[in-house]
Amino acid sequence: MMGGGLGGSFLEGLLLHYTFDSKDKLAADSGPGQRDGTVRGAVYSGNGTRNGAAEFDGRSTFIETPAINNTRNLTWSLWAYPRTLGTGRIAQLMGLKGNAWVFNSNN
């Protein structure tokens, strides 16, 4: 889920790799599985830590991934820059929707 090139050993077992570096291909998977996500209201921002970023409104925008059969043995890694969380609010950055993972889920 990070920007930059992928090393050989890093590719082993990799399910998804979204860089969010391209406005035209915001949820393009640059990993070996080519599992592109579906953008649901998220927009591109050129102000990412490394190149671009996906920007969410915190209410109804997300990126939906294709179904992944293995939902028990996963490790997720992502950079997030919340602009505000509000008092007593816990941010939900990822969630399971049916058999697909979504970023910035409200479910």
Side-chain angles (χ1 to χ4, degrees):
M1 308 278 176
M2 62 190 168
L6 299 174
S9 63
F10 183 73
L11 293 173
E12 186 177 330
L14 183 67
L15 296 176
L16 300 168
H17 183 261
Y18 298 153
T19 64
F20 306 124
D21 286 343
S22 171
K23 184 177 184 177
D24 297 329
K25 296 179 182 180
L26 186 60
D29 180 15
S30 58
Q34 298 299 299
R35 296 177 178 98
D36 292 349
T38 302
V39 177
R40 305 286 189 200
V43 296
Y44 173 80
S45 169
N47 296 323
T49 300
R50 301 180 82 187
N51 303 317
E55 190 170 310
F56 306 95
D57 68 7
R59 292 181 303 276
S60 61
T61 60
F62 58 94
I63 293 177
E64 186 173 351
T65 68
I68 297 173
N69 293 331
N70 180 359
T71 58
R72 292 185 175 261
N73 301 313
L74 297 175
T75 299
W76 293 94
S77 176
L78 62 102
W79 286 90
Y81 179 73
R83 294 192 178 158
T84 181
L85 294 178
T87 304
R89 183 173 172 191
I90 298 172
Q92 181 178 352
L93 298 176
M94 303 173 72
L96 192 59
K97 181 179 180 182
N99 290 327
W101 286 91
V102 294
F103 296 98
N104 203 43
S105 170
N106 288 316
N107 56 348

